[in-house]
């Protein structure tokens, strides 16, 4: 035990030991006696070792806190933590701190050197895409694009509901569906015209329309003359008026 205490005492007295750790003994009675008979104060050793133990525990807690900070700032760093080791070295803490400082310094340099260039490139790209000639026109055009986008979004949502399409259907599906509906409507209109005119031939339809175009203007003029002559205003009154004249 005396040998161990002497070894600890030599460590505490060494130049590498922090100056506030070693406290010389002030009580001659409490000193242990070495084999050569010279006194050596060991009464300060328990307090020093207790302080070292507390510092080692605090060192482990500090390492855990730095690891959490590192995961927040450097989430891509997948290196396994060393919290489960029996002892934590100051070098471990220094490596984490150096990595965080290096990343912060790198981000700071990039934000200072590239932010203005990036913003300028974004503004120029927006002007090119939306045909804006000056910086003063950027904000009005942004508002216009935002408004148009809202209108188109609402229109697409309404079309999805009217056409009973899934909300995830792309615009191409909406356009194809509308095109099919238009084809169906046009086909129905054509069939109705054919049924109305009593023909299935497009040339016959044209001929009948030409005949009606030749017939109706003179017929309409005749009717107007009869209305004026008989002094009536309703077409249904023409026949009774003519019969009264007989």
């Amino acid at each position: 035990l005396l040998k161990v205490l002497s070894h600890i005492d030599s460590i505490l007295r060494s130049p590498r030991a922090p100056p506030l750790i070693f406290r010389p003994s002030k009580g001659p009675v409490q000193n242990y006696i070495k084999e050569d008979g010279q006194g050596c104060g060991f009464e300060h050793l328990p307090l020093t070792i207790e302080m070292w133990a507390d510092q080692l525990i605090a060192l482990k807690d500090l390492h855990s806190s730095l690891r959490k900070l590192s995961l927040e700032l450097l989430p891509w760093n997948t290196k396994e933590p060393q919290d489960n080791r029996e002892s934590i070295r100051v070098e471990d803490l220094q490596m984490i701190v150096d990595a965080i400082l290096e990343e912060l310094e790198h981000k700071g340099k990039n934000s200072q050197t590239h932010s203005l260039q990036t913003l300028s490139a974004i503004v120029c790209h927006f002007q090119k895409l939306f045909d804006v000639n000056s910086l003063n026109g950027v904000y009005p055009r942004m508002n216009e694009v935002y408004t148009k986008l809202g209108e188109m979004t609402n229109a697409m949502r309404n079309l999805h509901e009217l056409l009973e399409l899934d909300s995830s259907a792309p615009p191409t599906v909406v356009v194809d569906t509308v095109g099919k509906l238009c084809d169906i409507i046009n086909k129905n209109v054509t069939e109705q015209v054919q049924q109305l005119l009593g023909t299935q031939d497009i040339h016959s339809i044209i001929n009948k329309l030409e005949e009606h175009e030749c017939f109706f203007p003179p017929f309409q003029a005749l009717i107007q003359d009869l209305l004026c002559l008989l002094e009536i205003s309703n077409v249904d009154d023409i026949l009774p008026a003519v019969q009264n004249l007989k």
Side-chain angles (χ1 to χ4, degrees):
L1 177 62
L2 184 62
K3 185 177 180 181
V4 173
L5 293 176
S6 299
H7 183 64
I8 296 175
D9 188 67
S10 63
I11 293 176
L12 296 178
R13 294 174 182 271
S14 67
R16 296 179 57 188
L20 296 179
I21 291 180
F22 175 70
R23 291 290 184 272
S25 174
K26 295 182 179 180
V29 179
Q30 299 176 358
N31 293 347
Y32 290 90
I33 304 299
K34 292 184 178 180
E35 293 180 356
D36 57 1
Q38 296 180 357
C40 179
F42 291 134
E43 72 277 3
H44 65 284
L45 294 183
L47 296 177
T48 302
I49 294 175
E50 288 180 2
M51 184 180 66
W52 279 3
D54 293 338
Q55 292 298 312
L56 288 176
I57 295 175
L59 196 65
K60 190 172 183 179
D61 293 338
L62 178 59
H63 182 266
S64 177
S65 299
L66 286 176
R67 280 293 307 171
K68 292 179 181 179
L69 179 61
S70 176
L71 292 176
E72 289 291 335
L73 298 178
L74 311 174
W76 56 87
N77 188 0
T78 57
K79 185 179 179 180
E80 291 295 329
Q82 302 294 326
D83 295 3
N84 295 327
R85 297 192 328 178
E86 294 182 358
S87 62
I88 301 298
R89 300 177 303 174
V90 176
E91 289 83 351
D92 300 330
L93 307 182
Q94 190 64 46
M95 288 179 60
I96 298 176
V97 173
D98 290 343
I100 294 174
L101 291 177
E102 182 179 358
E103 179 63 22
L104 293 177
E105 183 180 0
H106 180 68
K107 286 184 177 180
K109 289 182 178 179
N110 286 343
S111 62
Q112 293 176 2
T113 56
H114 299 296
S115 60
L116 293 178
Q117 297 177 0
T118 303
L119 291 176
S120 177
I122 292 173
V123 173
C124 292
H125 188 61
F126 181 87
Q127 289 181 269
K128 182 178 180 180
L129 288 177
F130 298 99
D131 193 21
V132 182
N133 297 325
S134 64
L135 292 177
N136 294 331
V138 171
Y139 281 111
R141 186 56 59 86
M142 283 184 176
N143 294 332
E144 181 181 353
V145 171
Y146 178 79
T147 301
K148 294 295 184 182
L149 179 61
E151 294 176 354
M152 292 181 61
T153 302
N154 292 332
M156 291 298 296
R157 185 184 302 112
N158 294 333
L159 285 174
H160 280 91
E161 294 178 357
L162 292 174
L163 300 174
E164 297 181 355
L165 296 174
D166 188 79
S167 58
S168 61
T172 53
V173 175
V174 176
V175 173
D176 291 341
T177 306
V178 173
K180 292 178 181 178
L181 287 176
C182 291
D183 292 339
I184 294 173
I185 293 173
N186 292 334
K187 183 178 180 181
N188 291 337
V189 170
T190 303
E191 292 177 353
Q192 291 176 3
V193 172
Q194 291 174 350
Q195 293 176 1
L196 178 64
L197 298 179
T199 180
Q200 301 296 326
D201 187 4
I202 187 64
H203 296 290
S204 299
I205 294 175
I206 295 175
N207 294 333
K208 286 184 175 293
L209 290 176
E210 291 178 350
E211 291 176 0
H212 283 79
E213 185 178 0
C214 295
F215 170 75
F216 275 106
F219 178 77
Q220 184 179 12
L222 175 61
I223 295 298
Q224 291 296 331
D225 292 340
L226 286 174
L227 292 175
C228 293
L229 181 63
L230 299 174
E231 297 180 354
I232 56 178
S233 58
N234 195 346
V235 176
D236 295 335
D237 297 332
I238 294 178
L239 185 57
V242 173
Q243 289 177 348
N244 291 334
L245 292 177
K246 294 174 61 177

